[in-house]
Amino acid sequence: MSTPSSSPVSAGVTAIITGGSRGLGFEVARGLAAQGYQLALIAKDPHGLDQAREKLIAEFPQSSVKTFAIDFEVTTPTAIESARQKLAEVKSSVTTPTALVIAHAVMSEKMSKTLRTTDAEWRRVIAINLDSTFMVVNELVSPMADARNGRIVIFSACLGRMSGPGNAGGLAPYRISKAGVNALVRNL
C-alpha cells in the first residue's frame, strides 16, 4: 500500500483499535494510517505491539502510533481493575477518537459444547469477547458521544447469529459470546 500524498482526514484525527497488533485489527490500523489517522493500538502482547508500531511507522512515516498493552482476560476483580485503569490511561493519553474499532477476540476450545465446557473456559471466552467489549465501550465511547462525533466498529462473527447451518455443537462459549456482542451493538 502506498502512502497517500494528501490525507483524506484532518490532522490530529485519532482512531483507537483493540487487537491492533495483528490480524484484522492490524489491517484496520494500516488502512486508517493510510488515510492519515493518528493511532492508538491496544493488544495484550507488548512485543507484538512494538512490532506493529514499527511496521506502521515504516510504511506510514507521517503516522503517530501509541501503544497500550491491556490484557482483556478480565476474569477476576484484580484483572478488571487493571484493565479499567489502563483504559483510563488510553482515554487521558489520546485526543477524543473519531473512530473506535474493537477487533480483539479469542476462540474457544473446539470441543467446548454447552454441556462439556469447563467453568474456566466459559469465563475466559466470555470475559475476553463480551465483558471486555462492554468495558471498552463503557470507558472510551462517552467522550465521542459528548463530542457528537465518531464511529464505532465492533467485530463479531457469523457464528454469533445463532442461526443457519452448523449452529449447534462445539465452540459454545465463542458462539454465545459473539451473540452477546451482537446484542450489545443493537442495544448501543
Side-chain angles (χ1 to χ4, degrees):
M1 192 178 285
S2 63
T3 304
S5 57
S6 65
S7 297
V9 298
S10 303
V13 176
T14 302
I16 299 173
I17 303 109
T18 71
S21 65
R22 60 189 180 107
L24 291 172
F26 179 75
E27 292 305 320
V28 167
R30 283 184 71 233
L32 292 173
Q35 293 180 40
Y37 279 83
Q38 303 308 304
L39 305 175
L41 304 181
I42 299 172
K44 180 180 179 177
D45 176 27
H47 179 68
L49 280 167
D50 289 344
Q51 288 180 326
R53 182 180 184 284
E54 289 171 15
K55 287 178 190 174
L56 289 167
I57 289 175
E59 188 172 359
F60 306 102
Q62 80 284 2
S63 289
S64 165
V65 182
K66 294 182 179 183
T67 61
F68 302 88
I70 302 176
D71 185 351
F72 284 130
E73 193 170 329
V74 288
T75 57
T76 66
T78 302
I80 292 168
E81 184 56 31
S82 175
R84 281 199 192 285
Q85 287 176 358
K86 290 178 181 177
L87 285 168
E89 179 186 331
V90 173
K91 193 171 168 180
S92 68
S93 298
V94 301
T95 60
T96 299
T98 320
L100 171 63
V101 179
I102 302 175
H104 72 276
V106 65
M107 181 61 76
S108 58
E109 296 170 356
K110 275 191 176 177
M111 294 312 294
S112 294
K113 295 186 179 206
T114 304
L115 297 178
R116 293 189 185 144
T117 298
T118 65
D119 289 345
E121 177 66 358
W122 177 269
R123 192 67 242 130
R124 179 184 77 87
V125 176
I126 296 294
I128 294 170
N129 293 353
L130 180 56
D131 295 347
S132 68
T133 297
F134 167 76
M135 183 182 291
V136 170
V137 167
N138 202 31
E139 294 292 327
L140 300 179
V141 170
S142 59
M144 296 169 73
D146 291 345
R148 303 185 65 72
N149 187 24
R151 298 285 185 259
I152 304 162
V153 176
I154 302 174
F155 280 74
S156 185
C158 61
L159 292 175
R161 290 190 313 238
M162 302 300 287
S163 63
N167 69 356
L171 307 175
Y174 180 78
R175 291 169 186 269
I176 294 165
S177 71
K178 290 303 186 174
V181 167
N182 294 344
L184 174 65
V185 169
R186 297 269 322 223
N187 188 266
L188 183 61

